[in-house]
């Protein structure tokens, strides 16, 4: 083997280790975001407030997460991936500790605010490093791998977290996340290389935010933004917040049994993007695939809601309530159907010129997480007013509305 080939192989291995270390930060982010799904009832009892009120309070996390997206992106351009990642991981450890020490709604809200800001760049860090170091073809492969590694965090927050919460209480989830944050920070410190800052955009974060918002509201992207606002929100809010209460309170499952079902949902969310990507390449009709899969997701959510006691599907089958196996099948199908979200990134790049492609991606990314924050806060109010079946029906209606607006604005011009 020549010295050049040996050096190239060493550089490739070093990059892979660096990307995996950074992707573990994204895994930590998805774990922290979904802790309430299996512990909301215990947290609410501890804080002496209604679970619905606490659910609305947890929306502070995604609101902070969305608001921090663009400033964190600007910081990465100015200071490089490594220092920003280490700063965010330090904030994540403090946020997890603050949430674990929380004694009431106010102190818990502070912890959630810290976590939202600190985890906002956990996906952008490995994506930015990969984009700078890899060819377009290899970036496509690694972006999928980074998302899959990240979604392992949601697997950890299903059955394993449910077991930990049953055995040691809800605070243990946050302690474990804090320990994980220290371990990931050590890995990033050891494995991620120093890189010079690039100073791509010297304008202020506020000016960048305004430009991203202007582009997102422009006619070419309006349809994509409308669907992005409800697309990721549906799967994240179902997986991260209401899935557990639905299975435990309406279907009578134990915490670990509910965790098992949410684990199957998460596996579908990991496999789904690869599956949808293959269909996209085979079909070549991205607009129809995005609309059709999201409409299917809306229908499946409605069917889950209607399986509640005395609702249409239960009445149709002549049972008091549809069995949990019915929900398991629907969870897996919803996980697959809503996995067309990454195709919205691809569509946004096709609709704008090269100079504004980065800001278009930022607009879609911002819509994804802002939509999750809005959905989380609004569904808390819906649950308080009308119960959990109404929450699922509301999310189904919002998803269907998003598809209608998407189709209206992306229709080919004659």
């Amino acid at each position: 083997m020549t010295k050049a080939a040996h050096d190239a192989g060493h550089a490739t291995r070093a990059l892979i280790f660096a990307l995996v270390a950074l992707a573990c930060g994204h895994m930590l982010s998805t774990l922290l975001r979904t802790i309430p799904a299996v512990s909301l009832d215990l947290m609410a009892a501890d804080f002496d407030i209604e679970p619905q009120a606490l659910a609305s309070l947890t929306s502070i996390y995604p609101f902070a997460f969305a608001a921090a997206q663009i400033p964190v992106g600007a910081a990465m351009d100015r200071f490089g991936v490594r220092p920003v990642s280490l700063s965010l991981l330090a904030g994540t450890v403090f946020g997890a500790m603050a949430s674990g020490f929380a004694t009431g709604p106010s102190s818990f809200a502070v912890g959630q605010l810290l976590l939202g800001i600190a985890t906002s760049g956990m996906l952008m860090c490995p994506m930015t490093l990969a984009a700078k170091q890899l060819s377009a073809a290899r970036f496509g492969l690694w972006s999928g791998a980074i998302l899959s590694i990240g979604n392992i965090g949601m697997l950890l927050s299903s059955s394993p977290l449910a077991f930990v919460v049953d055995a040691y209480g809800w605070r243990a989830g946050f302690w474990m996340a804090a320990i994980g944050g220290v371990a990931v920070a050590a890995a990033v410190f050891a494995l991620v290389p120093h890189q010079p800052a690039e100073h791509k955009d010297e304008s202020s974060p506020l000016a960048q935010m305004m430009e991203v918002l202007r582009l997102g509201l422009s006619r070419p992207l309006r349809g994509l933004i409308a669907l992005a606002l409800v697309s990721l929100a549906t799967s994240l809010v179902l997986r991260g917040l209401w899935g557990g209460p639905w299975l435990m309170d309406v279907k009578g499952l134990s915490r670990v049994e509910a965790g098992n079902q949410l684990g199957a949902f998460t596996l579908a969310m990991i496999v789904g993007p690869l599956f949808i990507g293959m269909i996209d390449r085979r079909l070549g009709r991205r607009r129809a695939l995005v609309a059709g899969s999201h409409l299917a997701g809306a229908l499946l959510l409605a069917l889950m809601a209607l399986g509640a006691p005395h609702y249409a599907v239960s009445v149709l089958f002549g049972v008091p309530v549809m069995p949990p196996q019915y929900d398991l099948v629907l969870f897996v199908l919803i996980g697959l159907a809503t996995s067309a979200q990454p195709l919205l990134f691809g569509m946004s790049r096709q609709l704008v010129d090269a100079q504004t492609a980065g800001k278009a991606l930022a607009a879609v990314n911002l819509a994804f997480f802002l939509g999750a924050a809005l959905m989380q806060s609004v569904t808390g109010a819906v649950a308080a007013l009308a119960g959990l079946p109404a929450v699922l029906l509301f999310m189904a209606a919002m998803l269907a509305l998003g598809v209608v607006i998407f189709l209206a604005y992306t229709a080919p011009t004659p």
Side-chain angles (χ1 to χ4, degrees):
M1 184 187 287
T2 65
K3 185 176 186 303
H6 180 270
D7 289 347
H10 178 73
T12 301
R13 282 193 299 276
L15 177 61
I16 288 170
F17 284 132
L19 288 173
V20 170
L22 290 168
C24 286
H26 180 42
M27 186 199 313
L28 194 62
S29 168
T30 60
L31 165 66
L32 282 160
R33 188 188 296 126
T34 50
I35 284 177
V38 291
S39 53
L40 190 71
D41 56 332
L42 297 176
M43 291 158 70
D46 237 14
F47 298 153
D48 197 26
I49 64 170
E50 288 296 313
Q52 294 87 346
L54 184 60
S56 292
L57 191 67
T58 61
S59 65
I60 290 169
Y61 184 123
F63 272 120
F65 191 105
Q69 290 286 311
I70 295 168
V72 167
M76 266 188 276
D77 281 342
R78 294 183 182 209
F79 305 112
V81 171
R82 188 174 188 265
V84 171
S85 176
L86 289 170
S87 302
L88 293 175
L89 284 162
T92 300
V93 172
F94 280 115
M97 290 173 65
S99 296
F101 276 122
T103 55
S106 300
S107 51
F108 184 70
V110 170
Q112 291 291 287
L113 178 69
L114 283 172
L115 284 175
I117 295 168
T119 59
S120 63
M122 293 303 186
L123 177 58
M124 281 193 284
C125 285
M127 288 293 194
T128 302
L129 184 65
K132 288 177 180 176
Q133 300 281 325
L134 299 172
S135 66
R138 291 184 70 204
F139 175 71
L141 172 72
W142 268 98
S143 61
I146 289 163
L147 287 168
S148 292
I149 292 169
N151 281 345
I152 293 170
M154 286 193 280
L155 273 182
L156 294 175
S157 70
S158 54
S159 306
L161 180 66
F163 175 79
V164 168
V165 168
D166 265 348
Y168 304 107
W170 65 266
R171 296 175 192 273
F174 288 106
W175 300 135
M176 289 173 66
I179 294 166
V182 172
V184 174
V188 168
F189 185 82
L191 298 170
V192 176
H194 290 278
Q195 285 184 316
E198 294 192 4
H199 296 280
K200 281 184 182 173
D201 190 342
E202 293 293 346
S203 61
S204 69
L206 181 62
Q208 291 175 43
M209 176 77 84
M210 295 310 294
E211 177 60 21
V212 168
L213 292 176
R214 186 200 63 74
L215 188 61
L217 293 172
S218 66
R219 199 183 194 292
L221 288 188
R222 255 177 240 165
L224 273 68
I225 297 297
L227 187 52
L229 280 167
V230 293
S231 172
L232 187 66
T234 301
S235 49
L236 280 188
V237 173
L238 181 61
R239 171 61 189 85
L241 188 62
W242 296 117
W246 172 262
L247 292 168
M248 289 187 283
D249 298 346
V250 178
K251 297 305 174 89
L253 296 187
S254 70
R255 197 175 308 279
V256 172
E257 287 169 338
N260 289 338
Q261 289 217 11
L262 295 177
F265 182 26
T266 308
L267 281 172
M269 291 169 69
I270 292 170
V271 173
L274 303 172
F275 178 65
I276 294 279
M278 287 190 290
I279 296 173
D280 177 50
R281 284 193 293 274
R282 196 70 64 86
L283 276 183
R285 298 182 62 187
R286 185 168 287 176
R287 177 175 175 267
L289 178 60
V290 168
S293 60
H294 281 90
L295 267 182
L299 176 62
L300 292 163
L301 266 170
L303 287 173
M304 183 179 282
L306 297 175
H310 314 300
Y311 277 68
V313 175
S314 298
V315 171
L316 185 67
F317 281 91
V319 293
V321 61
M322 292 301 286
Q325 292 85 345
Y326 172 79
D327 299 270
L328 176 60
V329 172
L330 289 175
F331 269 126
V332 170
L333 292 175
I334 290 167
L336 294 173
T338 55
S339 290
Q341 293 141 0
L343 297 183
L344 292 172
F345 284 122
M347 289 187 75
S348 71
R349 294 183 78 163
Q350 292 170 330
L351 288 170
V352 297
D353 56 32
Q355 286 76 22
T356 53
K359 287 188 172 65
L361 293 177
V364 174
N365 203 37
L366 183 62
F368 275 142
F369 292 107
L370 181 60
L374 292 168
M375 184 79 82
Q376 196 158 318
S377 55
V378 172
T379 52
V382 172
L385 286 170
L388 291 180
V391 167
L392 299 187
L393 289 171
F394 174 80
M395 290 199 292
M398 289 298 100
L399 200 52
L401 179 62
V403 172
V404 170
I405 298 172
F406 169 79
L407 287 173
Y409 277 100
T410 57
T413 51

